[in-house]
Amino acid sequence: MKELRNTREIINECYPEFPETILNAELCRAMARIEGRSIKQALKAYAQARIPKVESKPLKGALEQMAVSLFPETEINRIRACVGRMESALAKTFGVKRA
């Protein structure tokens, strides 16, 4: 395995379902907006479809909340904040540079 240089690379390598979930949720939101569909309903449907595919309990919990929330877009921010905390922990614990 090549030496990873920053926190973003480590997360992408070791926990890829987090950034992938954020990216796909953002794409879902953008496509719903372009197509004139309800962003809220699109994100709820995305969350329902994504839940069985993830292994991380915190991520699964965020998606379960997204699937029933009145404001599912806030869950994207919750997942993004989780990734930020992961980056901070990596930087603090292992001295890895933040991306």
Side-chain angles (χ1 to χ4, degrees):
M1 185 167 127
K2 70 175 183 123
E3 184 176 326
L4 300 173
R5 295 178 302 273
N6 65 45
T7 56
R8 184 69 52 160
E9 289 175 337
I10 293 170
I11 291 170
N12 286 338
E13 177 79 20
C14 300
Y15 306 100
E17 63 187 2
F18 282 84
E20 182 179 297
T21 298
I22 294 168
L23 176 65
N24 288 329
E26 294 286 356
L27 289 171
C28 176
R29 178 170 51 188
M31 288 304 298
R33 183 175 296 128
I34 289 168
E35 295 171 352
R37 296 181 291 122
S38 166
I39 294 170
K40 178 179 171 180
Q41 294 305 317
L43 287 173
K44 286 182 167 195
Y46 165 72
Q48 282 290 349
R50 183 79 175 144
I51 289 169
K53 297 175 184 173
V54 299
E55 294 181 14
S56 167
K57 288 182 182 181
L59 182 55
K60 194 174 287 240
L63 289 168
E64 288 168 349
Q65 185 63 36
M66 183 186 288
V68 297
S69 177
L70 292 175
F71 305 102
E73 291 184 75
T74 60
E75 294 308 314
I76 298 171
N77 293 330
R78 182 174 163 203
I79 298 167
R80 192 175 281 118
C82 182
V83 171
R85 288 189 300 276
M86 291 165 71
E87 287 180 334
S88 294
L90 283 168
K92 182 178 179 181
T93 305
F94 299 109
V96 179
K97 290 182 183 177
R98 287 188 65 102

